[in-house]
Amino acid sequence: DRLADVVTDMYASVEALAKIVTERPTKDLSANAERFISEVNASKHYKTLLRNYISYGNEFRHAEREGKPRPALSEPEVESFIYLTGLFIRLAIRTT
């Protein structure tokens, strides 16, 4: 559970940034994803990576609310998600 909580917390940090970038403070990231992605002035490949990152994080963020179990994780996978989060935050800050 703690590993999934890390993914959820990382996702929440990108969600908070998306609210600032898009100036839509009441929207969660699943509702704000496409606008956030379009605001990040990155290549189409990085936008695809960001879209997939958001989709992946959504599986953990919304699983309990939807009555689904969160997917199983390994420590290396969670660690890589942490690094991806930092990269996407940095990308968004530098390109918006």
Side-chain angles (χ1 to χ4, degrees):
D1 281 343
R2 293 186 69 194
L3 292 175
D5 288 344
V6 171
V7 171
T8 300
D9 291 346
M10 295 295 101
Y11 180 87
S13 65
V14 173
E15 181 174 66
L17 179 60
K19 289 177 179 185
I20 294 166
V21 168
T22 62
E23 299 177 346
R24 296 170 79 184
T26 60
K27 299 289 185 183
D28 70 9
L29 188 51
S30 59
N32 211 14
E34 289 306 315
R35 184 164 175 179
F36 176 57
I37 291 166
S38 70
E39 294 281 337
V40 174
N41 296 318
S43 71
K44 69 176 184 171
H45 299 290
Y46 267 88
K47 288 182 178 184
T48 298
L49 290 170
L50 182 53
R51 191 173 284 110
N52 288 332
Y53 169 94
I54 292 168
S55 176
Y56 180 90
N58 247 343
E59 288 186 41
F60 295 90
R61 178 69 179 252
H62 300 291
E64 290 178 354
R65 183 180 347 156
E66 296 171 357
K68 299 176 185 175
R70 294 193 282 190
L73 291 167
S74 66
E75 285 186 31
E77 189 169 335
V78 171
E79 183 177 7
S80 69
F81 194 80
I82 292 168
Y83 289 121
L84 277 173
T85 301
L87 291 171
F88 285 127
I89 288 172
R90 188 167 170 78
L91 176 69
I93 289 171
R94 293 183 55 91
T95 62
T96 55

